[in-house]
Amino acid sequence: MNETCIDDISIVLQIDLYKNSCPEAEAIIYSWVENAVSQDSRMAASLLRLHFHDCFGCDGSVLLDDTEDFTGEKTALPNLNSLRGFEVIDAIKSELESVCPQTVSCADILATAARDSVVISGGPSWEVEMGRKDSLGASKEAATNNIPGPNSTVPILIAKFQNVGLSFNDMIALSGAHTLGMARCSTFSSRLQGSNGPDINLDFLQNLQQLCSQTDGNSRLAQLDLVSPATFDNQYYINLLSGEGLLPSDQALVTDDYQTRQLVLSYAEDPLTFFEDFKNSMLKMGSLGVLTGADGQIRGNCRVVN
């Protein structure tokens, strides 16, 4: 999770970077993602999330295993027992290394796999800009401090996104990624306390309480979007308006702030606007803190520095 900024990212990242050096790269990545999602629909959300948690500095650092010299990001609180899909990235990297060695970075694989996961789930497509180098290290501290937690308030969410150069609108659009995937009961336990507020959906909360009160309740999983859990759509925003946001940080977008509520309303009413904004915000996020030249490398194995 590199925290440097590059003033003119357009010089660094470009579309079709591997057109000549590894023309099969995008097809190989898509094929592996498609296969992984067909076997486990939750994998689309997992691969999308890997890119999210790598960004705020898109440098492949989240993929590094711990070594004697440093503790990586996999055990940071936002990632521990939460991130998955590493073996899919390993498989993609392995095939790419056999076809075009030392050409496609792990960070670029993450960015492309995230886009493909959205497309395969019915969401929008976009041209992924390539050219990221992989980091030479990782920072558990940076991952812990920079990635917003599931209990974040709206001011904290806005601040964490703004700290890396993402706007208020980017934050609401990118939150829409929670239209896919699942979360453990331990991440939304504060939602289960219930309240008599106007936005409380009692049926929804009672179902969650029932799920999470079972044995091993904290590790039980709930869908972030109960209506269409494997489809990338705008249902997440519709759910928030009916009090069915799973994470406290999601529901807060409607209950705690008038401005965020207005944008949630607009995305709930117009899926095409959401798709367009999500696509643009993903491109913006994917250019954050990228490494170039001698600042990075192209790893042969995404888990270890060369």
Side-chain angles (χ1 to χ4, degrees):
M1 183 166 291
N2 183 277
E3 296 182 63
T4 57
C5 288
I6 293 168
D7 290 334
D8 190 357
I9 209 73
S10 60
I11 296 171
V12 180
L13 300 181
Q14 60 188 79
I15 294 166
D16 290 335
L17 179 68
Y18 301 118
K19 189 175 182 179
N20 298 316
S21 59
C22 192
E24 297 171 64
E26 290 200 52
I28 288 169
I29 295 169
Y30 186 90
S31 175
W32 277 104
V33 173
E34 187 176 42
N35 182 57
V37 173
S38 71
Q39 293 180 32
D40 174 10
S41 62
R42 186 183 163 207
M43 191 54 72
S46 299
L47 293 173
L48 179 57
R49 194 153 177 262
L50 269 182
H51 179 50
F52 266 74
H53 283 226
D54 186 47
C55 284
F56 290 34
C58 308
D59 55 8
S61 58
V62 76
L63 301 173
L64 288 172
D65 288 338
D66 293 354
T67 72
E68 290 180 2
D69 300 324
F70 71 90
T71 302
E73 297 168 19
K74 290 180 178 177
T75 55
L77 195 59
N79 300 335
L80 184 64
N81 299 322
S82 164
L83 289 186
R84 59 197 291 274
F86 296 106
E87 70 287 349
V88 179
I89 302 301
D90 290 339
I92 293 169
K93 183 61 176 172
S94 179
E95 183 170 348
L96 286 172
E97 284 301 300
S98 68
V99 172
C100 38
Q102 290 289 297
T103 305
V104 183
S105 70
C106 300
D108 279 349
I109 293 172
L110 283 177
T112 307
R115 185 272 314 272
D116 292 347
S117 295
V118 171
V119 171
I120 288 163
S121 304
S125 184
W126 59 92
E127 294 279 4
V128 178
E129 296 171 324
M130 312 280 203
R132 301 163 189 81
K133 289 286 186 72
D134 297 323
S135 70
L136 305 174
S139 170
K140 180 179 179 180
E141 184 184 10
T144 301
N145 293 336
N146 293 350
I147 297 169
N151 291 301
S152 298
T153 61
V154 171
I156 288 173
L157 289 170
I158 292 171
K160 292 213 170 190
F161 276 76
Q162 286 181 344
N163 284 345
V164 295
L166 293 169
S167 69
F168 170 90
N169 281 41
D170 292 325
M171 185 267 286
I172 310 290
L174 292 171
S175 294
H178 285 172
T179 185
L180 297 175
M182 306 179 86
R184 292 175 192 272
C185 288
S186 57
T187 63
F188 56 86
S189 56
S190 64
R191 285 280 281 140
L192 304 179
Q193 312 310 316
S195 122
N196 298 316
D199 290 286
I200 293 299
N201 183 316
L202 288 176
D203 287 342
F204 177 69
L205 289 183
Q206 283 165 2
N207 286 335
L208 292 181
Q209 286 163 347
Q210 188 176 1
L211 171 76
C212 298
S213 64
Q214 298 176 37
T215 314
D216 73 348
N218 267 349
S219 58
R220 292 245 166 192
L221 291 163
Q223 301 284 2
L224 285 160
D225 170 10
L226 283 168
V227 180
S228 52
T231 304
F232 192 96
D233 53 23
N234 69 330
Q235 185 64 43
Y236 162 82
Y237 299 103
I238 297 167
N239 294 345
L240 295 188
L241 294 170
S242 60
E244 295 179 55
L246 186 66
L247 302 180
S249 57
D250 288 331
Q251 195 58 47
L253 298 179
V254 161
T255 57
D256 294 2
D257 186 284
Y258 176 77
Q259 278 187 292
T260 55
R261 184 184 177 94
Q262 291 310 109
L263 202 47
V264 167
L265 273 167
S266 72
Y267 289 156
E269 290 168 359
D270 188 350
L272 293 181
T273 296
F274 162 54
F275 277 13
E276 190 64 25
D277 287 359
F278 182 82
K279 178 172 64 175
N280 291 332
S281 293
M282 283 294 287
L283 283 166
K284 193 171 169 183
M285 184 185 76
S287 69
L288 295 173
V290 301
L291 299 175
T292 56
D295 290 333
Q297 60 181 206
I298 293 171
R299 290 186 214 134
N301 175 346
C302 291
R303 293 175 181 265
V304 295
V305 174
N306 294 343

